[in-house]
Amino acid sequence: MSAAHLPAGTEPRQCLPPLAPARRTALRLPEGSCDALAHVFASACPLDPARGYTPAMVTVADYRRVMEAYGIDRAVLVQPSVYGFDNSALLSALTDNLGTLRIVDEAYRWRRPA
């Protein structure tokens, strides 16, 4: 939901951070497991003023701890709508994680050179 869909005078809702385990859990996923949809955020990247929500800043390091806790070997990061067409947070997350993370970014598909 974008801010255009919010009632007049309504601010984007604040989202709580996910409840991530502090250590490995008893629940372990099978070897080779892949999380097919995850979002990460970076406070250094500006949020789109037309966003429908304000996320908790869950960094790629935070998400890597979740992966470790549950035994997730690979993950697909999806561009969150709160950044609009600015995909710098997503590309930054890939910088040191090419072996285990991939991205889905519709904005990049439309903006990349032909």
Side-chain angles (χ1 to χ4, degrees):
M1 173 184 286
S2 71
H5 296 97
L6 296 174
T10 303
E11 292 294 317
R13 64 195 150 128
Q14 298 287 320
C15 292
L16 296 173
L19 298 174
R23 60 187 187 291
R24 290 183 122 192
T25 66
L27 169 68
R28 298 295 294 170
L29 296 171
E31 188 173 327
S33 291
C34 180
D35 183 348
L37 195 162
H39 296 301
V40 294
F41 304 93
S43 58
C45 298
L47 297 173
D48 185 344
R51 70 189 180 281
Y53 69 98
T54 299
M57 289 293 129
V58 177
T59 66
V60 71
D62 296 329
Y63 182 64
R64 297 292 292 184
R65 286 191 290 278
V66 171
M67 291 176 71
E68 173 61 29
Y70 289 108
I72 299 169
D73 292 322
R74 299 169 292 136
V76 177
L77 300 180
V78 178
Q79 171 76 357
S81 63
V82 297
Y83 290 121
F85 291 109
D86 179 357
N87 60 5
S88 55
L90 198 58
L91 295 176
S92 176
L94 278 181
T95 302
D96 297 323
N97 298 285
L98 284 175
T100 55
L101 299 178
R102 298 292 188 263
I103 63 170
V104 173
D105 180 5
E106 192 66 13
Y108 179 74
R109 183 172 82 97
W110 291 107
R111 290 180 25 198
R112 73 177 177 223

